[in-house]
Amino acid sequence: MMAQTTSIIRTDRWNLNPTAAARVLLSQTVEVSLGVCRHLMGILLTHWPSLGGLSSQKRVLAVEKLIHQTAKNPNPKYRQFDQTFYKFPSYYRRAAIVFAAGQVSSYMTRYREWQSGTRQRRDAKPPVLNPNSGCYPTLYKGQCYKLHGYDRIDIKVFNGTDWVWTTIEITSLRERHTVDSNKLLSPSLIFNEQKKACHLSVPFECHPPQREGEGRVVSVDLGINTTATVAVVNFDGTVTYREFIHPARDIDEVAAAARTCVQRNGDRRDKRLKSVSKRASKTMGLGGSLQKGFCSHTYRKCRNINRQIGQIVSKRIVQIAQQFNADAIVFENLKGWKAKGGRKRSLLRQRFHGWLKGMIRDLTEMKWQEIGGKVIDVVAPPKSWLMTVVESKGRDSNNYALAKFSSGKRYNADLNGALNIAARGILQLTRRKDSEEPSSQSSRAIA
């Protein structure tokens, strides 16, 4: 029997395809919601000494008493709110109050810390309340939106004078709505003014069951030359499966597609990073300097490529764990690791700084946790230590992941690292050890 674990929140993106007229209405709706949030932040900041200690529900009622005229509240302190935002729906108003209160609360906390001397730098400037932060309207079922299956949705929008219903087509969505145990929460309407594109950010409350594995772990060794080396190891030490997620060597169709895409994206990223160093040397010469925002467009593309690589690799790791019904996915603890290898401004140093060790681990945990899995971190010995145990002649110049024994035989250092991580993970699952010390934090110890 599978026991229920605590709930987790995951968010889907539902793309919308509005008509030209509906797109204008959505834009106006988001714009007026932003205006409401800006207006409310000033009121909340003014009255925060009396509002800050209230619960969320009582704070909403107190703010509404300040701004909204009713039969029981004929003379609110800020009458101009109802005049400026005529017929603003109550559900939208309450969601905006909650968002604005969160922004003001965060600002007041950071300001108190700054006043008490908790600063990153001695000359740090005081924090600033940003009234233009993105406040997107939250849609409540029945009052703000009505679903027609999963193909169309009715949304209450602002047409400039009144609030009306408009029907919009849903073009794409993920699978979380198909899981019976998932609960759909109130979505938010997101509108991008630059691209004139809109979508719904739909949160789900997920209740993943606790997995019961078959006595094996999936260990992952993250590296620079090989993005991820995966090994499936049973509790008795038997290596069931291994995979290198980066080279384009084929084992099966799914793995080959993932590897080829990662390799192609990695090459695109490295070429862009190499072009940055060339442009920088031509721009600043021998003793010059670069202006702020130099090659920002290229760096943005590289970050997007890294994000795509992280999604592909983490998805493949979770697929392997599901295929072999693993008890846990095991990673090496690389928290606090800092790059030391590579010359300054070299491509290797750039690759170290763009290493996806944290992203892949976090994305894998989010995906694996959603289906009831567990991710653990272990302290694994560095590969440089392994090299001293076996008398090796060094690394292959063409493939740094390969090393030679003195007898001439070769072994894969990344795979060896993955197996050591698996051994530590099995030990942690079967016999808990809390006396381990932090791992080595040097990039020279990472292949």
Side-chain angles (χ1 to χ4, degrees):
M1 182 180 294
M2 292 189 175
Q4 290 289 325
T5 61
T6 56
S7 62
I8 58 176
I9 303 298
R10 292 290 183 265
T11 304
D12 277 358
R13 175 182 174 132
W14 292 7
N15 290 322
L16 303 178
N17 183 28
T19 62
R23 186 176 284 108
V24 173
L25 297 178
L26 294 175
S27 176
Q28 290 176 347
T29 303
V30 173
E31 185 178 353
V32 72
S33 297
L34 292 173
V36 169
C37 287
R38 285 194 294 267
H39 197 101
L40 289 171
M41 282 184 200
I43 296 173
L44 281 158
L45 186 62
T46 303
H47 296 272
W48 192 251
S50 60
L51 296 174
L54 301 178
S55 65
S56 179
Q57 186 176 4
K58 290 183 178 179
R59 187 184 297 138
V60 170
L61 295 176
V63 174
E64 283 193 325
K65 190 174 181 180
L66 290 171
I67 63 174
H68 185 51
Q69 183 180 15
T70 62
K72 295 182 179 180
N73 184 38
N75 298 308
K77 185 177 180 64
Y78 299 97
R79 290 188 176 185
Q80 66 272 24
F81 182 87
D82 283 339
Q83 297 170 2
T84 305
F85 306 103
Y86 183 64
K87 288 188 177 181
F88 195 75
S90 59
Y91 284 89
Y92 282 143
R93 181 178 61 246
R94 289 164 189 166
I97 292 173
V98 172
F99 176 84
Q103 295 295 105
V104 174
S105 176
S106 174
Y107 163 73
M108 294 301 294
T109 300
R110 289 182 285 115
Y111 188 77
R112 281 194 297 268
E113 290 178 352
W114 179 85
Q115 281 186 317
S116 64
T118 307
R119 308 173 188 177
Q120 291 183 347
R121 301 187 314 274
R122 185 176 299 177
D123 59 341
K125 295 181 180 180
V128 178
L129 177 63
N130 180 17
N132 295 317
S133 54
C135 173
Y136 295 102
T138 302
L139 311 179
Y140 291 94
K141 187 176 182 180
Q143 302 294 329
C144 305
Y145 82 93
K146 298 175 184 177
L147 270 177
H148 300 283
Y150 293 99
D151 301 324
R152 293 178 296 111
I153 182 172
D154 291 343
I155 301 177
K156 183 174 282 189
V157 295
F158 186 61
N159 64 1
T161 57
D162 200 1
W163 291 82
V164 297
W165 290 95
T166 184
T167 303
I168 301 171
E169 179 187 6
I170 301 174
T171 56
S172 64
L173 64 169
R174 295 183 64 179
E175 300 81 19
R176 288 192 177 101
H177 64 282
T178 61
V179 181
D180 294 335
S181 60
N182 290 350
K183 180 182 178 182
L184 191 152
L185 304 179
S186 299
S188 296
L189 175 63
I190 313 296
F191 190 88
N192 189 323
E193 282 290 347
Q194 293 181 342
K195 298 181 179 179
K196 299 299 180 184
C198 56
H199 67 273
L200 293 177
S201 179
V202 187
F204 285 89
E205 183 181 299
C206 305
H207 302 272
Q210 219 170 25
R211 293 184 64 89
E212 295 181 2
E214 298 180 0
R216 60 177 63 98
V217 298
V218 172
S219 63
V220 184
D221 179 83
L222 301 174
I224 298 297
N225 297 286
T226 303
T227 306
T229 303
V230 182
V232 181
V233 184
N234 295 347
F235 283 2
D236 61 3
T238 304
V239 181
T240 306
Y241 181 75
R242 62 184 184 179
E243 184 173 316
F244 301 91
I245 308 180
H246 189 73
R249 293 194 308 184
D250 298 343
I251 293 179
D252 57 55
E253 293 182 3
V254 177
R259 291 194 192 91
T260 304
C261 190
V262 170
Q263 179 70 41
R264 183 170 59 250
N265 288 332
D267 291 343
R268 287 166 52 210
R269 177 197 58 199
D270 293 343
K271 286 180 181 178
R272 283 185 167 86
L273 291 175
K274 194 172 182 179
S275 70
V276 170
S277 61
K278 290 182 179 180
R279 280 179 280 175
S281 61
K282 290 180 180 179
T283 301
M284 64 182 180
L286 295 177
S289 60
L290 298 174
Q291 73 274 17
K292 185 178 179 180
F294 178 77
C295 290
S296 59
H297 185 63
T298 302
Y299 281 120
R300 179 184 58 80
K301 285 187 175 180
C302 291
R303 286 194 297 270
N304 291 340
I305 292 173
N306 278 343
R307 182 77 181 178
Q308 185 181 10
I309 292 174
Q311 292 285 4
I312 294 170
V313 173
S314 61
K315 182 179 179 180
R316 180 57 191 154
I317 292 171
V318 171
Q319 286 176 344
I320 295 172
Q322 281 186 286
Q323 179 183 348
F324 291 94
N325 197 17
D327 290 65
I329 299 176
V330 189
F331 285 91
E332 182 180 359
N333 185 6
L334 295 171
K335 188 176 182 179
W337 182 92
K338 293 182 179 179
K340 296 180 181 178
R343 290 180 293 103
K344 189 176 181 181
R345 296 193 181 95
S346 65
L347 181 59
L348 178 60
R349 177 60 69 89
Q350 286 181 324
R351 291 177 67 187
F352 270 127
H353 284 297
W355 191 18
L356 307 179
K357 57 183 178 63
M359 182 185 294
I360 292 175
R361 190 248 179 240
D362 292 343
L363 290 174
T364 302
E365 182 178 30
M366 286 190 288
K367 291 179 173 67
W368 185 231
Q369 188 183 40
E370 191 174 344
I371 54 178
K374 179 171 61 174
V375 172
I376 59 176
D377 299 295
V378 298
V379 180
K383 299 188 187 78
S384 58
W385 178 84
L386 298 173
M387 294 293 292
T388 61
V389 175
V390 292
E391 297 179 1
S392 72
K393 286 186 174 181
R395 303 294 184 103
D396 192 311
S397 58
N398 296 323
N399 187 354
Y400 197 72
L402 298 178
K404 273 186 181 180
F405 286 99
S406 56
S407 61
K409 292 184 178 180
R410 296 187 178 189
Y411 78 99
N412 191 291
D414 291 336
L415 180 59
N416 204 3
L419 297 179
N420 277 277
I421 292 171
R424 292 291 182 100
I426 293 171
L427 183 64
Q428 185 169 322
L429 288 172
T430 56
R431 188 184 60 169
R432 182 79 180 179
K433 284 188 67 177
D434 297 322
S435 59
E436 293 182 342
E437 297 180 355
S439 62
S440 170
Q441 304 298 317
S442 172
S443 62
R444 295 186 181 90
I446 307 296

